[in-house]
Amino acid sequence: MAQLSLRSVLSSGVMALALVAGMAPVVAQAQVLEVGVDASPVGLDPHLITAFPSFQVVSGTIYEGLTAIDKDLRVQPSLAQSWTISPDGKTYVFKLRPGMTFHNGAPVEAADVVASFHRVTSKDIASPLASRLLTMDSVVATDATTVTLTLKEPTAPLLVSIATLAIVPRSFEADKDSLQRNPVGTGPFKFKEWQPNGFIALSKFEHYWRAGAPKLDGVKFNIVPESATRQVGITSGQFSMLANIDPATALQLKGKPNVRLAETLELAYTVIGMNTSKPPFDNAKVREAFNYALDRQEIITAALFGAGVPAGPLSPALKDWAVPTAQFACYKHDPAKAMALLKEAGVTLPVTITMNVLPRQDIKDIAQVAQAELNKAGFKVELKNQEIGAFVQDWKNSNFDTFASANAGSPDPDDYFYRTFRTGGSTNVFKYSNKDVDGLLDSARQMTDMAARKAAYAKVQATLACEGPAAHIAYGQLFSAVRANVTGFDMIANRSLANLADTAVSK
Amino acid sequence: MRKSPLLLFAVAMVALPVLLGLGADWLAPYDPVGQDIVARLRGPMVGHWLGTDQLGRDVLSRILYGSRASLLVSAASVGLALLAGGTLGLLAAYYRGWTERLVMRAMDILFAFPVMLLAIGVVAVLGPGAATAAVAIAVVYTPIFARLLRGPALVICDSDFVAGARAAGATDARILLVHVLPNLAGVMLVQTSLLLSSAILVEASLSFLGLGTQPPNPSLGLMLAEGRNVLMLSPWAALFAGAAILLLAFGLNLLGDALRDRLDPRLRGPG
Amino acid sequence: MTRLVLTRLVDLAFVLLGVSLLVFCMIRLIPGDAVAIMLGANTDVTPEKVAALRSRIGLDQPLLTQYWHWISAALRGDLGTSLWTGRPVGEEIASHIWPTVQLSVLALVIGAGLAVPAGCVMASLRGRAADVAMRLASVAGLTIPSFWLGIVLILVLATLAPSLQMLGYVPFWQDPLDNLARLVLPAVCLSLPILANLSRLVRSALLEALGQDYIRTARAKGLGEWRVLYRHALANAMIPFVTSLGIQTGYLLGGAIVVEQVFAIPGLGQLILGAIGDRNYPLLQAVILLVTSGFVLVNFGVDLLYRLLDPRLRD
């Protein structure tokens, strides 16, 4: 009773204060979706950005590619309404939708597609996406709405990898500065205003090619670094959406009045990588022991609050490709077996190693749980919590024993495996080299027969799971929190917010 | 001398956490890094008197060990700063002239940086960790001691008994150590106590930002940082860690305040 | 006096030079490479690409050359270009500076405004229970971690008044009332240590003044306790008060870094934290140089003012 009255006195006091200070209660704003995000984008040029904070603001909202990825991770037409592939798999002919315009009023034509592809591969622009077009031989505008793309060799994942390759007006081909601040695309929303570290506002693009979209008048991304503050923002109704939040945040918002959680299994995964170029992880038995020592389910329960599944080399979201983890022997938690393998490997116990940790709370938790598990199974792990710059540099220079990190994943197995696990692959920081794996990866990317390709990747997965250089830990459940009056929003496993085109806010 | 209940209270407020921290090995009911996932995010209960954190570790044990870590970092940093800053301040006051000007301008350069900014900068260069955090805080506090001690040291160096000692053939080192230093003890004591208090806060802030003590080691700032992500599930870890920081800093600051009252006769006022 | 001002000016130049060198070196010594971060984690990085980017942003030149380019341009008012956005650094700072300045001024006004009456009350009640209680409170205000307080305040308010819009920043000219409403909470958070510090300062300055002869005389003349406090002692207490204000400006920015983070205010603190994470050298250098120079200049001004105010120090 005493507590109750104290509380009501306090709250009426606060309300009085609020009135005096002129704070108005929330008024639902006319169809502008207020989104709370955790970090500020550093730039908005679709060909230069690499980080999630930038990606989720622009991808599918401001910019679109020839193709698009839907929520089942399958390829759909986007700016290209159709395409044909030659029998040898080397020539793609894309047919553009007629009558589309860019946000600056210029028409969308084949020449813009050609210019965009050239922009991505240009040395001067130095786009990190250039590797997506590594096998491109030439790209030509046959007529105003037809683009012919010729490849040096068949590239199975092409349609997936060009989905997030934005098409920009040809006038920007050699311009590496303008789009960072003033993006111009074809998407349902056009750029309106950016208050650095404050917010980014987009407004409805009236001439969007898809009739009836977008439904919103605008989207405003509010940058709020503190997790607790974001949560208050959505429970108070100041924000209508928190996009792509972690399980811990989601769990805290569960059951809050007027807040609904959307979820999907994430394409991104958490991983502990091992350096195979030096002891002890140059020994496949030690890597296998490492896997036996880990209890993935416990890690998921602890660090992801149970919201996730143990990870094999491919996400179960890739229903056509992934081998179930039950088939991997080393995924059964068995510290005794781990010890035995270490003894077989002839290393001195305990095996002293360091683990570099990506500075993200879920990864820090994963590392701490893994450390406790590994220490019980013959390892002695020292965690090195680094800031992002040092972490990336050590990662890039293979300067680690092990590292705990997260990676974005790809809807196509080749896109991930080839650069990561093939000898000399561009992100093979583990310095892993396995002739069988190399052979399988080389042949699989040229296969057009789906069954054969699937069999090849199944073998690769079986090898990578237990003696590969990366212990895949978990695919997390990805959440977005929305207010109850937000309709039509669906999540996409790659964190794209393209779906905002069909989202509406009811009064 | 009148009895000062405030001073007694302050001494008790400092002694209690210091004893608890130093006794962590015997007092802590659990291993501070031992995880028990099933029993995580519990509120205070029998067994876990202050509840458990997001990995099921005992909050009380982590706070005891964390307090010890905070006190050690704080003591090491202020000790270093006192040594470096005190030496520089004394030398500046004793030798005057260019020595004084150079030393004090160098101190001004360091002093020009906001405390957190300089500390973050030093840690960024040296790499995160409890030891580097201590060094960073020491760098930040060095100019404070130098500036503080130079003033009163100037007065003492000008006094007749120092001139007398010099005339009697005492070496510079002897004069500084035997005649000047003891007369500064009061000022040093007060400032040391106050800075120990704010060092606790800076260390907590650094750990909060991920730049101080590294997980899984227990640290109060780190507990706050980890706990804030689950505040709405279970606020206990963050709440108690914050309270522990407050308590440590509070006691030390109060001690400095009470000592200042005691040692500075001007503040006694009328009555 | 002129001679004194001149020596002080030479010292000031020396300190500013030292500050700029220290800032420059410190940032270069931070491990982790701007280029590595710019190229991102998940990409093809070839040595040529890294080299090309390094030369584009001038990181391949000797350190002294880089320093000279930077400082000479800065003196001409050109602070360089932000690595990521390509915007002039001056523009970036200009777009972040107002929230911080406003927040700091507001915190200073709240802190200093309340400190004078609080200090007077403490001094007049010296030794009594109320004085002790207020001193304990002021010590607590000084030692409460601001990041903790900020989060707790937000959560408490969210529970008590869930429909309050209190996060973020609205420019003053856009909606003055909303602007102030959203800044009150963070400003209170930021002002606590100032209030605690200054009120204790006022208290001890008052007590010191009360012990002196001219006060005794005033008291002997039969003036009331409060009048003695206000008319005579307080005037005397203003000198250390003003000096301390200068030092508080340094504290304000440090505190603002954390408070801005919690309350989602797009100010200099956010800019600095972001620039550290991104290794945005030109931006980071410029902001830190600006902040530290500002602090040095303010204290230089306060020092002169102090000498003007206090006749004993004028020669």
Side-chain angles (χ1 to χ4, degrees):
Chain A
M1 187 59 212
Q3 224 175 1
L4 241 170
S5 63
L6 177 68
R7 190 186 152 129
S8 56
V9 167
L10 270 175
S11 84
S12 58
V14 169
M15 287 314 286
L17 197 78
L19 287 175
V20 170
M23 288 189 241
V26 187
V27 182
Q29 292 211 321
Q31 292 289 309
V32 171
L33 188 77
E34 300 274 346
V35 184
V37 296
D38 59 348
S40 181
V42 284
L44 300 175
D45 185 326
H47 300 153
L48 293 180
I49 58 178
T50 50
F52 276 134
S54 299
F55 175 81
Q56 70 178 4
V57 168
V58 303
S59 181
T61 48
I62 297 178
Y63 298 111
E64 294 167 311
L66 288 178
T67 58
I69 302 288
D70 70 5
K71 65 184 170 67
D72 297 317
L73 299 178
R74 296 203 165 92
V75 175
Q76 299 293 340
S78 181
L79 297 185
Q81 58 182 356
S82 64
W83 52 85
T84 54
I85 308 172
S86 67
D88 67 354
K90 286 191 185 177
T91 308
Y92 286 65
V93 178
F94 295 95
K95 197 77 191 156
L96 301 185
R97 288 171 206 281
M100 300 184 294
T101 55
F102 284 107
H103 298 155
N104 64 2
V108 181
E109 293 175 336
D112 298 300
V113 177
V114 172
S116 298
F117 281 32
H118 284 160
R119 188 172 191 266
V120 168
T121 49
S122 138
K123 279 209 162 29
D124 194 35
I125 299 287
S127 166
L129 303 177
S131 62
R132 304 242 179 120
L133 296 176
L134 216 54
T135 58
M136 180 174 88
D137 189 33
S138 70
V139 57
V140 184
T142 320
D143 61 50
T145 58
T146 312
V147 179
T148 307
L149 179 66
T150 319
L151 305 174
K152 293 179 211 149
E153 55 191 76
T155 310
L158 185 89
L159 290 174
V160 168
S161 41
I162 61 170
T164 44
L165 228 139
I167 304 304
V168 301
R170 65 196 90 157
S171 52
F172 292 101
E173 184 177 339
D175 180 346
K176 54 187 163 200
D177 297 322
S178 306
L179 291 176
Q180 284 285 46
R181 276 187 289 155
N182 292 301
V184 179
T186 57
F189 298 98
K190 62 183 182 203
F191 175 76
K192 186 174 159 206
E193 191 191 351
W194 183 356
Q195 186 194 87
N197 285 315
F199 62 82
I200 291 179
L202 313 182
S203 63
K204 178 181 189 168
F205 179 40
E206 302 288 349
H207 306 292
Y208 187 52
W209 54 266
R210 187 147 61 85
K215 296 194 170 74
L216 293 164
D217 293 319
V219 181
K220 189 170 163 198
F221 294 93
N222 299 279
I223 293 135
V224 185
E226 192 64 46
S227 163
T229 314
R230 280 195 305 279
Q231 292 171 31
V232 168
I234 194 159
T235 48
S236 73
Q238 185 171 346
F239 304 140
S240 293
M241 175 185 290
L242 302 185
N244 300 323
I245 54 179
D246 60 350
T249 311
L251 200 56
Q252 295 174 78
L253 291 172
K254 197 175 253 174
K256 288 272 185 291
N258 294 318
V259 176
R260 187 168 60 81
L261 288 174
E263 58 182 289
T264 180
L265 196 62
E266 192 169 17
L267 193 55
Y269 54 88
T270 49
V271 66
I272 300 180
M274 298 164 253
N275 191 339
T276 63
S277 68
K278 60 178 189 184
F281 292 110
D282 55 343
N283 188 327
K285 282 218 164 60
V286 178
R287 301 198 293 270
E288 200 181 347
F290 195 87
N291 275 300
Y292 275 110
L294 293 174
D295 182 348
R296 288 175 168 78
Q297 196 53 55
E298 185 188 51
I299 295 177
I300 291 166
T301 311
L304 304 181
F305 293 86
V309 295
L314 285 181
S315 167
L318 299 175
K319 299 184 185 77
D320 300 338
W321 302 104
V323 174
T325 52
Q327 295 183 22
F328 307 135
C330 64
Y331 272 51
K332 192 180 163 298
H333 176 55
D334 189 346
K337 173 91 177 167
M339 292 276 228
L341 279 166
L342 287 179
K343 285 201 186 98
E344 260 177 64
V347 288
T348 38
L349 293 180
V351 182
T352 310
I353 54 170
T354 60
M355 187 183 291
N356 296 359
V357 184
L358 182 80
R360 221 173 73 175
Q361 193 56 50
D362 55 342
I363 306 294
K364 288 182 189 171
D365 286 350
I366 286 175
Q368 293 185 61
V369 181
Q371 178 192 36
E373 291 167 359
L374 289 162
N375 285 355
K376 284 181 202 146
F379 291 90
K380 183 157 174 36
V381 183
E382 186 205 335
L383 299 184
K384 275 170 74 182
N385 294 276
Q386 301 176 295
E387 56 79 47
I388 184 73
F391 180 87
V392 169
Q393 208 169 34
D394 280 351
W395 179 89
K396 200 162 273 172
N397 297 334
S398 300
N399 183 21
F400 55 82
D401 290 341
T402 66
F403 66 85
S405 182
N407 216 337
S410 164
D412 189 279
D414 179 76
D415 192 32
Y416 170 43
F417 284 163
Y418 198 84
R419 61 183 162 84
T420 312
F421 299 114
R422 194 179 182 303
T423 307
S426 64
T427 55
N428 185 350
V429 294
F430 327 102
K431 309 233 185 221
Y432 180 66
S433 180
N434 180 324
K435 282 210 185 69
D436 300 337
V437 170
D438 288 357
L440 285 165
L441 289 176
D442 284 343
S443 56
R445 64 170 14 195
Q446 311 209 3
M447 291 174 187
T448 39
D449 176 43
M450 183 71 179
R453 218 181 150 215
K454 192 173 169 176
Y457 285 127
K459 269 191 208 159
V460 173
Q461 289 175 66
T463 310
L464 288 179
C466 290
E467 52 182 87
H472 294 78
I473 302 297
Y475 295 99
Q477 199 73 7
L478 183 65
F479 298 86
S480 286
V482 291
R483 296 287 291 180
N485 60 353
V486 173
T487 55
F489 177 72
D490 263 321
M491 295 189 65
I492 306 179
N494 67 0
R495 296 194 174 205
S496 151
L497 297 177
N499 206 257
L500 288 178
D502 299 307
T503 302
V505 184
S506 61
K507 294 267 166 169
Chain B
M1 279 237 190
R2 287 181 309 140
K3 269 191 195 153
S4 165
L6 197 65
L7 186 59
L8 280 178
F9 178 62
V11 170
M13 287 290 293
V14 173
L16 184 73
V18 168
L19 289 177
L20 287 177
L22 291 183
D25 282 328
W26 299 279
L27 294 171
Y30 291 87
D31 174 2
V33 298
Q35 303 171 0
D36 180 4
I37 303 299
V38 182
R40 68 154 142 196
L41 292 175
R42 297 270 168 86
M45 55 185 256
V46 176
H48 295 291
W49 299 104
L50 299 182
T52 57
D53 73 357
Q54 85 279 11
L55 296 179
R57 298 173 294 203
D58 182 52
V59 171
L60 175 61
S61 305
R62 285 182 74 72
I63 283 186
L64 289 175
Y65 279 97
S67 302
R68 182 168 76 179
S70 288
L71 285 167
L72 284 179
V73 168
S74 153
S77 61
V78 175
L80 272 176
L82 180 60
L83 197 66
T87 311
L88 288 172
L90 280 189
L91 291 180
Y94 189 75
Y95 291 107
R96 311 289 293 265
W98 276 102
T99 315
E100 180 182 23
R101 212 162 158 203
L102 259 174
V103 167
M104 293 325 286
R105 293 302 79 77
M107 292 299 102
D108 285 351
I109 292 173
L110 285 181
F111 194 71
F113 289 82
V115 170
M116 273 309 287
L117 211 54
L118 185 57
I120 290 175
V122 176
V123 173
V125 170
L126 297 177
T132 48
V135 173
I137 300 171
V139 170
V140 175
Y141 286 167
T142 296
I144 299 185
F145 274 118
R147 288 163 65 112
L148 183 87
L149 292 183
R150 188 194 61 124
L154 275 177
V155 178
I156 298 169
C157 290
D158 266 354
S159 66
D160 294 339
F161 74 89
V162 168
R166 198 175 287 142
T171 59
D172 288 356
R174 189 181 155 77
I175 293 175
L176 281 173
L177 288 176
V178 177
H179 298 283
V180 181
L181 198 59
N183 285 297
L184 295 170
V187 187
M188 281 176 3
L189 197 62
V190 171
Q191 194 61 28
T192 301
S193 178
L194 292 176
L195 284 185
L196 277 173
S197 160
S198 58
I200 297 270
L201 291 176
V202 177
E203 192 275 337
S205 306
L206 286 175
S207 294
F208 181 74
L209 295 173
L211 301 169
T213 308
Q214 295 299 301
N217 298 324
S219 142
L220 299 177
L222 201 59
M223 288 179 74
L224 246 179
E226 292 180 335
R228 76 182 157 157
N229 291 317
V230 292
L231 270 179
M232 290 191 183
L233 287 178
S234 166
W236 301 109
L239 208 64
F240 287 126
I245 296 172
L246 180 57
L247 214 65
L248 281 181
F250 179 86
L252 285 163
N253 198 298
L254 192 66
L255 181 65
D257 209 37
L259 279 173
R260 181 160 51 194
D261 264 19
R262 192 57 176 262
L263 296 171
D264 192 343
R266 288 172 310 169
L267 294 187
R268 295 245 175 87
Chain C
M1 189 72 190
T2 328
R3 202 184 124 77
L4 182 97
V5 172
L6 279 179
T7 10
R8 294 243 112 202
L9 274 177
V10 173
D11 284 357
L12 180 72
F14 177 79
V15 168
L16 286 178
L17 180 78
V19 163
S20 73
L21 258 172
L22 189 62
V23 169
F24 182 84
C25 294
M26 200 155 81
I27 285 167
R28 288 304 179 291
L29 284 172
I30 296 176
D33 187 88
V35 173
I37 296 171
M38 270 179 103
L39 287 174
N42 244 336
T43 64
D44 284 312
V45 180
T46 61
E48 302 93 82
K49 247 184 233 171
V50 174
L53 198 54
R54 289 188 78 88
S55 79
R56 197 181 113 201
I57 54 185
L59 289 178
D60 56 343
Q61 292 165 0
L63 276 185
L64 260 179
T65 319
Q66 287 185 45
Y67 174 74
W68 173 245
H69 280 314
W70 172 58
I71 203 70
S72 57
L75 286 176
R76 292 192 306 270
D78 171 15
L79 290 167
T81 318
S82 166
L83 280 189
W84 294 82
T85 58
R87 279 157 51 122
V89 164
E91 228 175 81
E92 293 268 14
I93 293 176
S95 69
H96 284 85
I97 199 165
W98 287 114
T100 304
V101 167
Q102 235 199 319
L103 181 63
S104 305
V105 169
L106 204 57
L108 210 54
V109 168
I110 297 175
L114 294 178
V116 175
C120 287
V121 170
M122 285 197 275
S124 67
L125 295 174
R126 196 194 132 62
R128 277 180 244 171
D131 171 39
V132 174
M134 283 180 81
R135 284 182 68 190
L136 291 182
S138 80
V139 173
L142 207 57
T143 49
I144 199 163
S146 60
F147 43 93
W148 187 63
L149 182 67
I151 295 175
V152 169
L153 272 182
I154 284 185
L155 286 176
V156 168
L157 265 191
T159 321
L160 297 179
S163 56
L164 222 59
Q165 291 223 3
M166 57 188 172
L167 311 174
Y169 176 78
V170 175
F172 187 75
W173 51 90
Q174 204 171 307
D175 185 346
L177 278 179
D178 195 16
N179 162 282
L180 287 177
R182 286 178 201 229
L183 282 178
V184 165
L185 208 54
V188 166
C189 235
L190 197 54
S191 72
L192 275 190
I194 299 182
L195 170 58
N197 235 329
L198 290 182
S199 64
R200 296 206 296 185
L201 199 111
V202 169
R203 173 185 180 270
S204 47
L206 281 179
L207 289 179
E208 186 181 340
L210 288 176
Q212 277 165 6
D213 292 343
Y214 68 100
I215 300 286
R216 293 219 178 94
T217 318
R219 209 186 283 268
K221 277 198 281 182
L223 290 175
E225 184 76 21
W226 282 100
R227 247 188 108 179
V228 171
L229 264 178
Y230 276 117
R231 285 286 288 285
H232 298 279
L234 196 56
N236 196 40
M238 278 297 103
I239 297 169
F241 188 81
V242 169
T243 323
S244 171
L245 277 184
I247 295 178
Q248 299 300 331
T249 53
Y251 150 76
L252 277 171
L253 192 100
I257 293 182
V258 187
V259 171
E260 284 177 8
Q261 170 98 349
V262 172
F263 288 90
I265 296 168
L268 284 182
Q270 295 269 58
L271 192 66
I272 291 175
L273 282 183
I276 291 176
D278 302 340
R279 294 289 176 283
N280 198 334
Y281 294 155
L283 184 57
L284 199 56
Q285 268 168 198
V287 183
I288 300 183
L289 185 69
L290 201 77
V291 166
T292 41
S293 312
F295 182 62
V296 172
L297 287 173
V298 165
N299 278 291
F300 176 70
V302 166
D303 194 41
L304 288 185
L305 193 68
Y306 180 61
R307 278 162 205 280
L308 283 175
L309 284 175
D310 193 338
R312 282 170 300 179
L313 291 169
R314 210 169 290 172
D315 45 305

